[in-house]
């Protein structure tokens, strides 16, 4: 399996990632031809070799000629959908901008449809994001890993005024990502960088067992006391005890159980919500019979090993249990990805899982289907079936 590892010791931005992809071997002229498919003429694209703290890297710069432009998500979706880009590039780019829109809407207390993109709606941000998606696609990257992410500190000037670092939308996008800050003043992670990172990577930590093929460095704009570079390593993932054949991944998890017979059942909804926010992967209950023939439930929570302390605290604080049981378990996971689809009811996401390189499961996102059913007045099952059928059609096109 061809994989990439992002070393974010100096953060990540869209242009840094694009520079790293070019530095590692993405053909710049081919990139320009692919980007021409967007039909945008208000920019020029340059590449340049630069030195940061004695290390050579590539700086890719988008020179915008359009002035200050604000776009809605629908404007960007129209640009991408009308483009001549390949369907996999369109789907991934649309998903990234949708994720950006959701983060911005949450921070500003509005809806995705109403949100104005400021910096990330400009032509340079569109080129950075779509260009990076083209790069991963052209290089045939099947999976992306990343280090913990250096975010910087202090404040940054933005369209909404002076914002803390990381900017609120950036931090929202980085949910679930291990981040840290050292003595570097300034914004090291941009919203475009965070959106690209989380769109491609779910595995953070040390570099996995990889047979290294190529290494590239993408340069940031500023000169810092550390090399302002994003390092990208590409290679073949070596088969280890944690990886089975055909991409099915073996991972470690923990099961936490508690028997509860004296808790107000109205509290469970709040408890579930709190457990999921704290990182639980799954939560469910089973009816059981306890001593003295007392009916009860066995609450089961599946968690990543590093979430045990937080989950344990919630269970003791929010339930009436006096004790919990904890077991280490193995999980086997099919590789999957999300695609964003346009239906007659609106846009929604579907999860596509594969086995041995073939699609084996299509799962429309329930919350998206629920929202579209409420907006359209159509039965939920009709919206669900429509999205599933659209996903099948898109998969057949890619084949």
């Amino acid at each position: 399996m061809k994989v990439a590892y992002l070393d974010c010791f100096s953060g990540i931005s869209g242009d840094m990632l694009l520079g790293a992809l070019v530095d590692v071997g993405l053909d710049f002229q081919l990139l320009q031809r692919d980007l021409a498919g967007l039909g945008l003429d208000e920019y020029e694209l340059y590449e340049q070799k630069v030195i940061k703290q004695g290390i050579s890297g590539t700086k890719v710069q988008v020179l915008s000629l359009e002035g200050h432009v604000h776009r809605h998500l629908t404007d960007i979706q129209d640009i991408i959908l009308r483009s001549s880009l390949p369907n996999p590039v369109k789907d991934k780019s649309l998903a990234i901008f949708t994720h950006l829109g959701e983060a911005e809407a949450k921070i500003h207390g509005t809806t995705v449809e109403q949100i104005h993109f400021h910096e990330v709606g400009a032509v340079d941000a569109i080129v950075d994001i779509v260009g990076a998606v083209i790069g991963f696609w052209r290089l045939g990257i099947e999976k992306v890993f990343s280090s913990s992410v250096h975010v910087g500190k202090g404040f940054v000037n933005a369209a909404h005024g002076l914002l803390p670092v990381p900017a609120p939308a950036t931090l929202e996008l980085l949910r679930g990502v291990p981040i840290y800050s050292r003595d570097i003043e300034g914004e090291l992670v941009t919203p475009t960088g965070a959106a690209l990172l989380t769109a491609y990577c779910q595995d953070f930590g040390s570099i996995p067992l990889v047979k290294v093929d190529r290494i590239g460095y993408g340069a940031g704009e500023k000169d810092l006391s550390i090399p302002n570079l994003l390092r990208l390593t590409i290679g073949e993932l070596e088969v280890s005890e944690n990886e089975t054949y055909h991409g099915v991944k073996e991972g470690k998890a923990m099961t936490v159980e508690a028997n509860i017979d004296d808790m107000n059942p109205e509290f469970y909804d709040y408890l579930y919500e709190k457990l999921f926010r704290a990182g639980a992967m799954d939560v469910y209950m089973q009816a059981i019979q306890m001593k003295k023939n007392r009916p009860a439930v066995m609450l089961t929570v599946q968690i990543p090993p590093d979430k045990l302390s937080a989950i344990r605290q919630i269970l003791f604080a929010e339930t009436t249990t006096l004790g919990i049981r904890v077991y280490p378990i193995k999980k086997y996971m099919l590789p999957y990805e999300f695609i964003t689809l346009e239906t007659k009811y609106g846009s929604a996401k579907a999860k596509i899982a594969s086995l041995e390189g073939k699609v084996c499961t299509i799962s429309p996102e329930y919350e998206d289907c629920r929202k579209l059913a409420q907006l359209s007045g159509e039965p939920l099952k009709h919206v669900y079936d429509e999205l599933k059928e659209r996903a099948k059609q898109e998969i057949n096109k890619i084949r």
Side-chain angles (χ1 to χ4, degrees), residues 107 151 154 156 158 163-174 187 189-191:
I107 293 302
V151 296
V156 61
L163 300 177
V165 171
T170 300
L171 191 58
E172 180 65 29
L173 289 162
L174 291 173
E187 182 183 44
V189 180
T190 64

Side-chain angles (χ1 to χ4, degrees), residues 124-138:
D124 53 342
I126 296 172
V127 170
D128 283 343
I129 288 176
V130 177
V133 174
I134 289 169
F136 280 122
W137 175 70
R138 283 289 183 190

Side-chain angles (χ1 to χ4, degrees), residues 160-280:
H160 294 283
L162 197 62
L163 300 177
V165 171
T170 300
L171 191 58
E172 180 65 29
L173 289 162
L174 291 173
R175 280 182 179 270
V177 176
I179 64 173
Y180 65 96
S181 178
R182 295 289 185 265
D183 295 327
I184 302 295
E185 289 283 342
E187 182 183 44
L188 299 184
V189 180
T190 64
T192 54
L196 283 161
L197 179 68
T198 52
Y200 279 98
C201 180
Q202 287 81 45
D203 294 280
F204 296 87
S206 302
I207 189 168
L209 187 62
V210 171
K211 187 176 181 180
V212 176
D213 179 29
R214 295 186 250 175
I215 304 164
Y217 292 86
E221 186 68 35
K222 298 177 181 177
D223 290 321
L224 306 173
S225 59
I226 60 175
N228 191 12
L229 297 164
L230 173 68
R231 180 160 59 192
L232 172 62
T233 303
I234 293 178
E236 289 292 323
L237 187 66
E238 296 287 287
V239 176
S240 70
E241 62 180 3
N242 290 326
E243 202 70 35
T244 61
Y245 292 109
H246 309 305
V248 178
K249 184 178 179 183
E250 176 187 312
K252 295 180 180 179
M254 303 190 86
T255 291
V256 183
E257 292 177 350
N259 292 351
I260 303 173
D261 63 0
D262 56 351
M263 184 168 126
N264 185 338
E266 293 178 319
F267 297 165
Y268 282 108
D269 179 60
Y270 177 77
L271 174 65
Y272 271 45
E273 182 181 337
K274 200 160 185 179
L275 289 168
F276 280 121
R277 281 205 309 266

Side-chain angles (χ1 to χ4, degrees), residues 20-31:
L21 288 162
V22 171
D23 202 62
V24 87
L26 174 63
D27 185 281
F28 186 72
Q29 292 182 337
L30 181 58
L31 172 65

Side-chain angles (χ1 to χ4, degrees), residues 251-372:
K252 295 180 180 179
M254 303 190 86
T255 291
V256 183
E257 292 177 350
N259 292 351
I260 303 173
D261 63 0
D262 56 351
M263 184 168 126
N264 185 338
E266 293 178 319
F267 297 165
Y268 282 108
D269 179 60
Y270 177 77
L271 174 65
Y272 271 45
E273 182 181 337
K274 200 160 185 179
L275 289 168
F276 280 121
R277 281 205 309 266
M281 298 183 291
D282 201 1
V283 184
Y284 56 92
M285 291 187 293
Q286 302 172 71
I288 59 173
Q289 199 81 8
M290 292 179 61
K291 59 187 178 182
K292 300 181 182 178
N293 292 321
R294 189 177 299 166
V297 298
M298 181 170 70
L299 178 70
T300 302
V301 188
Q302 289 188 353
I303 62 172
D306 63 343
K307 301 295 183 182
L308 177 59
S309 178
I311 297 298
R312 182 176 56 203
Q313 176 68 22
I314 291 172
L315 290 175
F316 283 139
E318 299 290 349
T319 76
T320 56
T321 189
L322 300 180
I324 62 175
R325 301 178 297 278
V326 180
Y327 313 101
I329 60 173
K330 284 185 178 180
K331 286 175 66 74
Y332 293 91
M333 297 288 292
L334 289 173
Y336 66 87
E337 64 176 337
F338 286 97
I339 60 173
T340 300
L341 300 160
E342 291 297 324
T343 74
K344 61 185 178 182
Y345 305 113
S347 64
K349 295 190 289 292
K351 186 187 293 182
I352 311 298
S354 302
L355 179 64
E356 299 182 9
K358 298 180 180 178
V359 172
C360 63
T361 303
I362 300 173
S363 303
E365 281 293 281
Y366 166 75
E367 288 297 338
D368 287 1
C369 293
R370 180 174 177 269
K371 180 180 177 182
L372 293 181

